[in-house]
Amino acid sequence: MKYILGAYATAPVTDSWQPEVQEQYLNRIKQLDNVRGLEHPFTGSLHGHDDDWFLRNIDPQWNYVFTGVPGVMGSLAKNPAFGIASDDEDGRAAGIEFYRQMHAAVLKLNAHLGRKAVDYVQLHTSPNRTKSNSSTDSLKRSLQEIVSWDWDGAGLVIEHCDAFIDGSEPEKGFLTLQEEIATIQAVNTASGSKLGISINWGRSALETRSVEGPLEHLRLAREAGLLRGLMFSGISDVETPYGVWRDTHMPPAEIFAEGYFAEGSLLTREQMALTLETAGWQDLDFVGAKLGVRPRDLDVDSRVAYNRDCLNAIDLLTSENR
């Protein structure tokens, strides 16, 4: 099995854009033989610094799952009403325009590669409800427009992020999974579209402050017939360099000896195995991982090793679950 890797989250951190450092990292990622392609961050253009550099340096055989989270969070920092679920009409229009720009980037990448290389686009139901109002009605109106565009073979999913829950301080504060599922079902019924759901383990654990949260979210999405993808990111409930209950994409806890893992991660071997089983991984359109690493000045070899060992851990667990 091959996986989607959110390699951008582990990329070297530099004070300014240093293409030679990023190229060294990406060339090492290309050597991982179980990478099917990348979860690709979108901030407003195909690449945050240089489209041409990106097109020159990617593996032409890779496939892609676009994510708008980096761009969405950047937009929210400037406009708290931004997003496709916003009840503020200007904020909702800005959210739709953001995905229109992503649509253009999808077409550009496919045209460069001469094939339909983008498998999925992940949408997000901002704004943060602690700062601006949002609703399923607003989301439905936005989705009805977005699904009408020709995405050149790319499927559309809502990636569920941590929702606003009374008594907890959210990092994202977007719509609940139940609201997202109900809205997707309504849009699919009305338009004949095939919108789905993707789940990031760490973000569901963050919302529920529990390792049971990702399993429950996977069950809900699967029972609704909407689960399309699963991405592994870890999280901790104790003080670590990754923070306590923070969406920092912590690596998993030790899965096998002498690997690159993170002490204190709630994403243990047992939880990864339960998650794959609950998700029905054999039926998913994509499975993968998105990791952050600490310290931030970690060398390239170690950054690649964290990704390598996480993907090898998934390989190990899926082979045991066949």
Side-chain angles (χ1 to χ4, degrees):
M1 188 173 176
K2 293 194 173 186
Y3 306 102
I4 294 296
L5 181 64
Y8 74 95
T10 327
V13 177
T14 55
D15 292 334
S16 60
W17 169 240
Q18 296 184 22
E20 66 282 356
V21 175
Q22 302 302 325
E23 183 176 350
Q24 178 189 6
Y25 170 72
L26 203 56
N27 284 340
R28 292 292 310 280
I29 294 294
K30 291 176 186 175
Q31 296 171 18
L32 302 179
D33 58 10
N34 55 359
V35 173
R36 168 180 151 197
L38 301 182
E39 184 186 63
H40 180 63
F42 182 79
T43 58
S45 57
L46 178 57
H47 187 267
H49 294 281
D50 188 338
D51 285 10
D52 292 337
W53 176 90
F54 177 72
L55 293 172
R56 285 195 308 270
N57 282 281
I58 55 176
D59 187 322
Q61 301 305 313
W62 278 342
N63 280 38
Y64 297 85
V65 174
F66 273 49
T67 175
V69 159
V72 167
M73 299 310 292
S75 296
L76 285 170
K78 301 172 185 175
N79 176 12
F82 171 90
I84 56 173
S86 180
D87 289 339
D88 177 277
E89 276 304 301
D90 289 340
R92 193 176 72 84
I96 292 174
E97 178 58 28
F98 174 79
Y99 287 110
R100 195 181 297 279
Q101 293 166 356
M102 188 187 288
H103 174 262
V106 167
L107 299 185
K108 181 175 183 176
L109 179 55
N110 282 351
H112 172 80
L113 294 172
R115 61 188 178 89
K116 296 178 179 180
V118 181
D119 293 334
Y120 274 97
V121 167
Q122 297 186 113
L123 313 173
H124 300 88
T125 59
S126 62
N128 185 328
R129 279 180 156 167
T130 66
K131 299 179 180 179
S132 188
N133 292 331
S134 63
S135 67
T136 56
D137 287 342
S138 295
L139 177 63
K140 181 179 179 181
R141 291 168 59 205
S142 298
L143 291 178
Q144 286 172 330
E145 179 170 350
I146 291 168
V147 300
S148 72
W149 307 338
D150 181 358
W151 285 90
D152 198 27
L156 300 177
V157 293
I158 288 177
E159 183 196 26
H160 180 64
C161 295
D162 67 292
F164 168 67
I165 303 294
D166 282 333
S168 294
E169 181 67 27
E171 288 215 16
K172 302 291 190 293
F174 297 168
L175 298 190
T176 67
L177 180 62
Q178 291 87 341
E179 289 174 311
E180 291 168 346
I181 287 173
T183 308
I184 288 172
Q185 290 173 327
V187 172
N188 284 349
T189 298
S191 67
S193 57
K194 296 182 179 179
L195 270 162
I197 291 280
S198 65
I199 296 294
N200 177 292
W201 192 93
R203 287 175 172 155
S204 289
L206 169 62
E207 175 183 321
T208 61
R209 301 296 197 272
S210 166
V211 296
E212 291 298 322
L215 303 179
E216 179 60 21
H217 286 175
L218 288 166
R219 291 186 193 103
L220 287 170
R222 192 178 180 190
E223 288 167 3
L226 297 176
L227 185 61
R228 305 284 184 267
L230 167 65
M231 295 292 287
F232 282 107
S233 292
I235 203 163
S236 184
D237 61 349
V238 297
E239 189 58 56
T240 72
Y242 298 87
V244 181
W245 295 120
R246 295 297 306 278
D247 188 15
T248 52
H249 312 302
M250 189 178 189
E254 183 176 303
I255 309 296
F256 48 79
E258 299 183 5
Y260 280 70
F261 299 107
E263 186 175 350
S265 178
L266 292 174
L267 185 57
T268 62
R269 179 189 179 107
E270 177 187 12
Q271 291 304 321
M272 288 185 77
L274 280 171
T275 297
L276 289 163
E277 181 181 2
T278 303
W281 62 269
Q282 301 96 328
D283 300 324
L284 297 181
D285 292 337
F286 64 93
V287 175
K290 174 163 61 180
L291 306 179
V293 292
R294 300 292 185 275
R296 293 183 183 276
D297 60 354
L298 205 63
D299 62 86
V300 167
D301 287 348
S302 298
R303 291 172 181 276
V304 175
Y306 274 103
N307 285 303
R308 177 200 66 207
D309 289 349
C310 183
L311 297 185
N312 287 345
I314 303 173
D315 261 343
L316 174 65
L317 295 170
T318 53
S319 67
E320 293 176 351
N321 194 20
R322 283 191 172 92

